[in-house]
Amino acid sequence: MGPAELVQAAAMARRFYLEGKSKIQIAEEFGVSRFKVARVLETALERDLVRIEIRVPAELDAERSDALRARYGLRHAVVVESPAEEQDDAADPENLGEVAAELLGELVNEGDVLGLAWGRSTIHMAAALDRLPPCTVVQLTGVYDAGTAERGSVEAVRRAAQVSGGEAHPIYAPMLLPDPATAAALRHQTGIARAFEYFDKVTVAAVSIGSWEPGISTVHDMLSDEERGHYASLGVAAEMSAHLFDAQGRRVGRDLGERCITVEADRLRRIPEVVAIAGGQRKAAAIGAVLRSGLVTSLVTDTAAADYLLTESAAGQRPALERADPDD
């Protein structure tokens, strides 16, 4: 390209890339055809006159995020860098909650009903919230109180409601009860029944995922050794909001739900946007199982889990997009 061509190409590129003008507008300004403009812009890229750089914050992995979204038919997939020195027994990295908080700020609209299930990651997310449009916040599960510092689902609901300026509907009850009769009685208590009435109105939900092992699954830790063995014999590979799944995403051990204070799976499937927050190598297979259940539409995870999920065989599977129940 000669000097005049270079100057013209630079001017056209400035109009197109920086000023947002269309090729037709540029063609009219320079007295050429829009096809000429297209050729000049293409040549400007080839000759390195124009450089296009896509930049996202260093902690976000845009390539893995897009690959994961496409592979599982997710609406949104956000992959963050795993900690440099990840512990084998580590729970979800805390930065997942921070990123999930930012994602909720994008997804929640004024007048929505936001549902929060128990989980360390959702509690971290709520603590990191700094913006939410006015919305109602409802707790989707009972609480898990094992005398640890991770308690806080009620506080998470209150925190989200405080940030949004909306109503809070917490559930003051354990997630798991000794028997179905006790659970049924609690569901009819005024405060808990009021929260359950909002379940069909939830538009965006945030949930956690656990693999079936100590310290990684809330339900696993609440059961007796005999009960754990029973559900393990059914092939349980993952749990989410007290629902158990095998490796193919099919629900198993449904009798457990009769003893739990939690949103039903059918109601979860009807929620337009269900964001799962989970990461780490130990949870990777469990995340894959829950994705295959069709209950989740979006995922916030880390590179350790994403690498596993991207090597899994998921050909033809788009469960999040189709919201299909693998049991049907």
Side-chain angles (χ1 to χ4, degrees):
M1 298 176 76
E5 290 176 313
L6 283 170
V7 169
Q8 185 185 66
M12 288 183 175
R14 178 174 294 277
R15 304 290 194 280
F16 185 73
Y17 292 109
L18 299 183
E19 299 176 12
K21 291 188 175 180
S22 69
K23 293 175 183 176
I24 293 176
Q25 289 174 316
I26 298 170
E28 291 175 350
E29 179 182 347
F30 287 88
V32 298
S33 70
R34 63 185 177 89
F35 302 105
K36 167 74 171 178
V37 173
R39 287 197 299 273
V40 170
L41 293 174
E42 185 177 346
T43 301
L45 284 172
E46 292 173 350
R47 300 290 180 87
D48 211 25
L49 184 63
V50 173
R51 296 181 182 180
I52 298 176
E53 185 177 9
I54 300 173
R55 302 181 65 185
V56 296
E59 69 271 15
L60 298 183
D61 192 311
E63 186 175 348
R64 284 185 176 92
S65 297
D66 187 56
L68 200 58
R69 178 200 57 77
R71 190 176 188 87
Y72 287 90
L74 293 160
R75 267 197 208 104
H76 305 280
V78 182
V79 178
V80 304
E81 290 291 337
S82 299
E85 297 182 0
E86 182 182 358
Q87 300 294 324
D88 289 341
D89 60 349
D92 298 317
E94 289 193 23
N95 60 342
L96 292 187
E98 296 168 2
V99 173
E102 295 180 13
L103 178 61
L104 277 194
E106 295 181 50
L107 299 180
V108 176
N109 296 307
E110 183 173 352
D112 276 349
V113 177
L114 171 63
L116 299 181
W118 192 96
R120 296 179 184 90
S121 55
T122 52
I123 291 169
H124 290 151
M125 178 204 69
L129 284 171
D130 59 11
R131 63 184 178 94
L132 272 180
C135 64
T136 298
V137 186
V138 60
Q139 194 169 322
L140 296 178
T141 64
V143 300
Y144 170 48
D145 182 358
T148 66
E150 286 80 20
R151 297 179 300 193
S153 48
V154 170
E155 289 80 359
V157 169
R158 287 177 170 172
R159 166 66 181 167
Q162 180 184 27
V163 171
S164 73
E167 295 181 3
H169 294 277
I171 293 178
Y172 296 97
M175 182 188 295
L176 180 66
L177 282 304
D179 53 72
T182 305
L186 279 177
R187 292 189 198 103
H188 286 91
Q189 287 191 356
T190 303
I192 298 173
R194 186 177 299 116
F196 268 64
E197 289 173 359
Y198 276 91
F199 286 0
D200 286 329
K201 303 174 185 177
V202 173
T203 49
V204 181
V207 301
S208 296
I209 295 172
S211 56
W212 195 247
E213 54 183 312
I216 307 295
S217 164
T218 300
V219 174
H220 182 282
D221 291 346
M222 289 191 290
L223 296 173
S224 67
D225 290 340
E226 183 180 351
E227 290 170 324
R228 290 169 189 157
H230 166 66
Y231 291 115
S233 71
L234 301 179
V236 59
E239 67 99 349
M240 178 185 70
S241 302
H243 299 294
L244 309 182
F245 306 88
D246 67 12
Q248 301 307 313
R250 295 183 293 259
R251 289 180 58 212
V252 296
R254 298 192 183 206
D255 60 304
L256 184 67
E258 298 175 6
R259 296 168 50 194
C260 293
I261 303 296
T262 186
V263 60
E264 300 94 327
D266 290 341
R267 278 176 158 171
L268 264 178
R269 199 180 304 280
R270 292 196 295 268
I271 296 174
E273 185 74 77
V274 179
V275 181
I277 313 161
Q281 294 181 5
R282 288 181 66 180
K283 284 192 177 183
I287 295 169
V290 173
L291 290 182
R292 282 186 281 276
S293 75
L295 294 174
V296 168
T297 61
S298 297
L299 175 67
V300 178
T301 190
D302 65 353
T303 51
D307 285 344
Y308 174 88
L309 293 169
L310 290 171
T311 59
E312 272 198 317
S313 175
Q317 295 182 7
R318 296 175 66 81
L321 186 65
E322 298 163 0
R323 306 304 293 274
D325 186 343
D327 287 326
D328 292 343

